[in-house]
Each structure stands twice: as C-alpha cells, then as structure tokens.
Amino acid sequence: MWYIDSGCSNHMSSAKSMFRELNESLKSKVRLGDGKQLEVEGRGTIAIKTEQGNTKLLYDVQYVPNLAHNLLSVGQLLCGSNVFQDYFDDAKESKVKQVPKN
C-alpha cells in the first residue's frame, strides 16, 4: 500500500523487491516529518498496479530500508509530464499494489 504525502519531497519505499530497476550507488539521507533521519540506499523504478488493473511506473523512487510506509510524493507526481493525471484518472483510486517482476 502507498500513502500520498504532500510533505514528501520524493517517492520512497522500503520494499527492495518492488524495484524493477535500482541503482544502489545513489546513496543519501532523508529527514522525515518527525525529524528522524534515514539512509537512502538507492534510487530506481517501481511498477504499481491500480485497483482497475492498470500498471503505472514510478520513476526516481528512493529506496529507504527503514521506512515504515511507502510514500508517494505529490510534488513529484505534479512535476512529471502528465504523471499526476495518469495516476488519478483511474477512478481516483486510493490503493495500489505491487506488480510482480517478470
């Protein structure tokens, strides 16, 4: 499950198995809203499936192993070309699930 977060600067996930592509050389740190600082162990692409069965790709997702929940950044959705529209045109779904790797 993903949470839409208007205060989140980047998409983030702790589920390494969800990444279709992951560049683990891109390391950094992220500070959460509660002030906690976590290690970013890479960036990559994740495929998600909407409740309507459509597959959407999330690019530039931070891999944060100690993150409690997957977070969708509203800002990152708005900055992508038509990405925001794509995500919310599917009947304004609120839940997405992992797409298995091929």
Side-chain angles (χ1 to χ4, degrees):
M1 180 178 289
W2 289 80
Y3 290 93
I4 299 170
D5 188 339
S6 62
C8 185
S9 58
N10 290 90
H11 304 317
M12 298 181 220
S13 177
S14 62
K16 191 173 186 178
S17 64
M18 290 181 71
F19 284 85
R20 281 192 169 181
E21 299 172 3
L22 180 60
N23 182 342
E24 294 184 75
S25 70
L26 300 173
K27 298 183 186 296
S28 62
K29 295 182 189 238
V30 65
R31 186 170 306 278
L32 303 180
D34 63 2
K36 184 192 270 187
Q37 190 169 352
L38 298 177
E39 299 289 328
V40 175
E41 297 292 329
R43 287 180 177 263
T45 303
I46 289 178
I48 58 176
K49 188 171 280 195
T50 67
E51 287 183 329
Q52 291 71 29
N54 299 319
T55 299
K56 305 291 181 179
L57 294 177
L58 290 175
Y59 298 97
D60 201 27
V61 180
Q62 293 179 329
Y63 170 51
V64 185
N66 295 316
L67 191 66
H69 305 286
N70 295 319
L71 300 175
L72 285 175
S73 164
V74 171
Q76 199 171 349
L77 289 173
L78 288 171
C79 287
S81 59
N82 296 325
V83 174
F84 185 79
Q85 189 70 33
D86 287 346
Y87 281 98
F88 296 100
D89 272 355
D90 289 339
K92 312 249 184 301
E93 75 270 359
S94 60
K95 296 179 189 174
V96 292
K97 52 190 171 187
Q98 180 178 350
V99 176
K101 291 181 182 178
N102 293 336

